[in-house]
Amino acid sequence: MTAIQSLMPDAETGLLGTDPSATESAGTYVTAGGYADTLTPGELLDRICESGLRGRGGAGFPAAVKLRTVREAGGSPVVVANGEEGEPGSAKDRWLLRARPHLVLDGLARAAAITGARTAYVYVSDPAAAERVKAALGEWPPDVPVEIVETAHTYVAGEETAVVRRIDGGPALPTSKPPRPYQEGVGGRPTLIANVETLARIALIAARPEERGHRTSRSTLLTLSSGTAQPLLTEAPYGTTLRELATAQGTPDACGALMGGLFGGLIGADSLNLPLDPTTLTAAGTSLGCGAIRFLGPGECPASVAADAVDHLAAQSARQCGICVAGTSSISTTLAALATGRADGDAPEKLLRWSSSLPGRGACGLLDASAGTAGSLLRIFPSLVRSHLDGPCPGCASSPPDGRRLTVPVPKITGIRSSETRIPRPSPAP
C-alpha cells in the first residue's frame, strides 16, 4: 500500500491537508474557506499569473497562459478537469479526486469563471474517484453544470486530444495537432484541459489571496517509489533535494532514479543532489513531469528499470502510428535483450540511433518517452550498458523485464472527514 506523508513546513497549507486518509465533506471544505468569493475572476487570473503557477499534468505549461488563451478565444468555451493519470508510477490525481473532490471542483468552477465557460467536465478512469466526485456534486452543486465522463485506464487516455475525442463520444486516442484543444476542442469549441492538481492549486490561491499564490505554486504533489521500499505520496516545496525525497521514501542509498513518470529518463546518483525545481531539472537534462519518481535502490539495475519502462510503453501503444508501434517495440525488444544478456554487439548503436531519430514522430508522446528512456540509459550508464553485452548482472538475471513493476497503488481512503458546522445546500445551477 502507498503511504502518505507531507514534507511541507505547515501541512495545513498544502494539498494533503491534516488528514489525507479521509475524504473531506462539503461542510469541512466550506468551513476551511472553500468556495468563498474572495477574488473576481479577473483578479484571480492576475494572481495565478503573478504566482507563476505551472500545470501539474506533466508538460508544466504556465497555467495563466492557458486560461487567458481560452478566455480570449471567444465562442462558448469548455473546461475539463483531467483526472486520468496514465503514468503507472503516479497516484496523486486519483487520490485528489477521492480525498479532496471539493478542492478540485472549486478550482474547476473558478477556471470556468475565468474563461467564461458554461460547460465543464470531470474526466476520469478511476471508478472510486468518479463516485466521490458524483457525491461531492450532490453536496455542493457548482455554478457551472459539470458532467463526469469515464474512460478506460490507458497510458494515452489522458493526452489532451484523446480527452477531447472521448468526451465527444469517440475512443480515448490521440489525434494529430494542430488544432489543439484551446483552439478547437470539445464540440469544436475552445477548451481548457487542466490537470486536477493544477485546478486544486487554483482553488488554494483563491482561498488565500493574502499569500498571492507564491507558496501554493512552489510546492507539488509527488508519487515516490522504488523496488526496495513502500511507495509514498507526498507534497514537498521546491528546493527539496531529490536525495531528501529518496530518504523520505525509504531509499536513502539510491543510486539514481527514473524521473517524471516515464518522460524524464534516468539520472545517476550524482544528480540526486539536484533541487526539486522544474527549471533546474530541465536544465540538467531531465524532467519533473507529473511528479512520479522511481528511485533505484540497492541491487536494482538501471538497464532492468529502463526495460520495464519501455515494456510498459510498448504494451500501452495506441497502435495508431506505424512509426510508434515499430519504434517502441524495437526499443523494448532491444532493452529486454540487453537487460537479460542476450543483446547483439550493435544494440547500443541501434538504441542511440533510435533515441535521436524517433522523438516527435508520433501523434502523442509515447514514442518520445520510449526513445528518451533508452537515450538516458546510454548517456548516464555507458559502462553498465557495455558490461551487459557480456551477460546480465545478478539483478537483471533474476528479474526479467516486466512493466507492471512500475505501478503504484492509490493510498487507501478510510472515511469521510466531516464538519460540525451546518451549511445551507445551494440550489443547482440553472
Side-chain angles (χ1 to χ4, degrees):
M1 182 54 65
T2 301
I4 308 180
Q5 175 192 356
S6 176
L7 298 181
M8 298 290 289
D10 181 0
E12 292 188 12
T13 65
L15 295 188
L16 292 183
T18 57
D19 188 6
S21 63
T23 295
E24 67 184 354
S25 65
T28 302
Y29 184 65
V30 172
T31 299
Y35 293 123
D37 293 327
T38 52
L39 300 168
T40 68
E43 290 170 338
L44 178 56
L45 179 58
D46 289 341
R47 290 291 171 85
I48 295 168
C49 181
E50 181 184 344
S51 75
L53 178 67
R54 290 180 174 269
R56 295 298 197 270
F61 197 76
V65 173
K66 288 185 72 172
L67 287 161
R68 186 171 283 113
T69 300
V70 174
R71 179 180 184 171
E72 295 175 353
S76 179
V78 176
V79 292
V80 179
N82 187 2
E84 162 49 20
E85 53 187 348
E87 292 285 359
S90 182
K92 69 180 181 71
D93 293 339
R94 284 167 289 170
W95 174 85
L96 262 176
L97 289 169
R98 293 183 188 187
R100 305 209 65 184
H102 287 286
L103 186 66
V104 175
L105 290 172
D106 191 1
L108 180 63
R110 294 178 190 277
I114 290 171
T115 59
R118 298 302 303 166
T119 304
Y121 296 90
V122 177
Y123 180 78
V124 294
S125 64
D126 177 33
E131 287 301 313
R132 281 307 310 147
V133 173
K134 189 180 301 181
L137 289 170
E139 287 183 297
W140 192 271
D143 292 334
V144 58
V146 176
E147 180 180 341
I148 300 171
V149 175
E150 297 187 63
T151 189
H153 178 65
T154 66
Y155 189 79
V156 300
E159 195 272 341
E160 60 177 8
T161 61
V163 173
V164 169
R165 198 171 176 185
R166 175 68 185 91
I167 292 175
D168 277 342
L173 298 173
T175 59
S176 298
K177 300 175 282 289
R180 291 191 174 273
Y182 71 83
Q183 300 166 313
E184 185 178 322
V186 175
R189 293 177 286 172
T191 301
L192 173 78
I193 298 177
N195 172 261
V196 292
E197 184 187 348
T198 310
L199 294 172
R201 293 193 179 278
I202 288 174
L204 284 186
I205 291 173
R208 303 167 189 157
E210 71 283 354
E211 294 180 4
R212 310 194 76 80
H214 298 300
R215 179 163 53 176
T216 298
S217 67
R218 294 195 57 77
S219 62
T220 195
L221 290 178
L222 300 162
T223 312
L224 310 177
S225 62
S226 72
T228 57
Q230 183 181 29
L232 175 68
L233 175 65
T234 189
E235 183 174 14
Y238 287 174
T240 307
T241 67
L242 299 180
R243 195 174 301 279
E244 289 172 323
L245 296 177
T247 299
Q249 187 270 324
T251 314
D253 44 2
C255 61
L258 180 65
M259 295 290 296
L262 303 182
F263 268 91
L266 290 161
I267 60 171
D270 56 338
S271 294
L272 295 178
N273 293 319
L274 290 169
L276 184 68
D277 178 83
T279 302
T280 301
L281 292 173
T282 299
T286 185
S287 169
L288 179 60
C290 65
I293 303 174
R294 190 190 191 284
F295 295 105
L296 303 177
E300 287 194 285
C301 180
S304 181
V305 173
D308 285 350
V310 184
D311 176 74
H312 178 85
L313 291 167
Q316 289 289 307
S317 171
R319 310 196 72 80
Q320 293 188 131
C321 306
I323 187 66
C324 178
V325 174
T328 302
S329 177
S330 295
I331 295 172
S332 178
T333 299
T334 305
L335 284 175
L338 183 71
T340 55
R342 298 179 291 104
D344 296 331
D346 63 348
E349 181 183 344
K350 290 192 293 186
L351 290 171
L352 180 62
R353 183 172 69 251
W354 292 329
S355 70
S356 60
S357 65
L358 293 179
R361 299 181 65 183
C364 67
L366 188 144
L367 180 59
D368 294 28
S370 301
T373 298
S376 67
L377 176 67
L378 296 170
R379 185 174 64 254
I380 305 300
F381 301 100
S383 60
L384 180 143
V385 171
R386 289 193 297 270
S387 70
H388 274 66
L389 294 176
D390 298 323
C393 66
C396 288
S398 62
S399 182
D402 185 352
R404 293 172 295 182
R405 277 196 291 263
L406 302 178
T407 300
V408 174
V410 183
K412 187 176 182 180
I413 305 297
T414 58
I416 296 179
R417 190 165 65 254
S418 300
S419 170
E420 296 180 359
T421 302
R422 296 183 63 83
I423 59 172
R425 177 171 171 164
S427 300

